[in-house]
Amino acid sequence: MQRIWHMGLAVPDLEAAKQQLGELFELSWRPVVTRSLTVSGADGAARKVDVRVTFSMGGPFAIEIWQGIPGTPLAVPETGWLHHLGYWAADHAAERARLERLGYPPFLRGDAGLTVNRGPGGLGLEPCDLGRDQPYLRDLYPPDSPFHGEPVLPMASAGAGAEAEGGAGAGAEAEGGALV
C-alpha cells in the first residue's frame, strides 16, 4: 500500500497562496526555499529553473506550494492550482515503471529522480523515494521510516543546501520526490 503524504500546488503568487491557504486551513509554513533544478517535460527539453517552494508544517499530510514557472512542467495548471499528489514508494524505480505500465507517463523529470506522472483525467502522481532522506521533510515520513523525526529547517546562517529566503538552507535538497 502506498501512503499519500502531500498535495502539490503550483500557484501564481506564493506569498498570497501561503496567506490564503494558511488562513483557510489554519496552516503554518516551513521557510520558503529556492531550489535550482534542471527539469524536463514530455518534450524532453531540459530547462534550468529556480523554484521557490514550501510545505505546510505538521502532518501526517502536507500541502506543498511553489511559485508556478510558466512554460515549464512547474507552471500553474490550466485547470487550477492542483499539480499532483505525492506518495511514498519503497521501491522508487519499480514504482515509476509501474506507473508507465498503467498509462501514467512522466510529464516532469528532474534532478535526483524527481518525477511526476500524469495519466487519465490529468491526475498528477509523484512517487517519492522512501529510501532517500529529505531532512526538510523528516516529520512527514512514516513513523517506521529510519528518516522519520524532527525536520531540519533552513536558517539564515545555515550552510549547504537550497537557498532560504534571506540565507542558505540546511538539508533542503531535491531527492527522489518533492521539490525541496
Side-chain angles (χ1 to χ4, degrees):
M1 171 90 179
Q2 310 296 347
R3 180 169 176 267
I4 298 172
W5 68 275
H6 81 273
M7 168 176 51
L9 305 175
V11 298
D13 182 326
L14 184 60
E15 293 305 317
K18 282 176 49 182
Q19 175 67 30
Q20 278 183 304
L21 295 170
E23 186 175 326
L24 182 63
F25 296 113
E26 299 179 351
L27 297 172
S28 58
W29 301 97
R30 294 163 202 265
V32 172
V33 294
T34 299
R35 204 40 205 121
S36 295
L37 298 170
T38 300
V39 299
S40 60
D43 62 3
R47 299 166 182 88
K48 291 185 184 249
V49 297
D50 290 325
V51 60
R52 294 180 61 235
V53 59
T54 188
F55 279 77
S56 59
M57 290 295 296
F61 190 81
I63 296 177
E64 172 189 26
I65 56 175
W66 67 89
Q67 181 77 43
I69 302 172
T72 75
L74 296 171
V76 177
E78 291 180 20
T79 57
W81 293 1
L82 180 60
H83 188 270
H84 66 267
L85 296 176
Y87 62 96
W88 295 117
D91 186 334
H92 194 238
E95 181 60 13
R96 290 185 313 208
R98 185 182 80 91
L99 286 174
E100 289 199 51
R101 283 193 313 273
L102 292 174
Y104 287 79
F107 87 96
L108 182 158
R109 291 182 192 261
D111 300 336
L114 171 66
T115 59
V116 177
N117 299 57
R118 194 161 273 161
L123 179 62
L125 298 173
E126 179 186 12
C128 300
D129 190 350
L130 196 51
R132 297 189 73 169
D133 188 13
Q134 297 182 71
Y136 183 75
L137 306 171
R138 285 184 179 156
D139 58 323
L140 299 171
Y141 277 80
D144 60 345
S145 165
F147 303 120
H148 180 77
E150 288 298 312
V152 178
L153 301 177
M155 292 186 227
S157 62
E163 288 299 311
E165 300 298 310
E173 299 176 24
E175 304 289 344
L179 293 178
V180 295

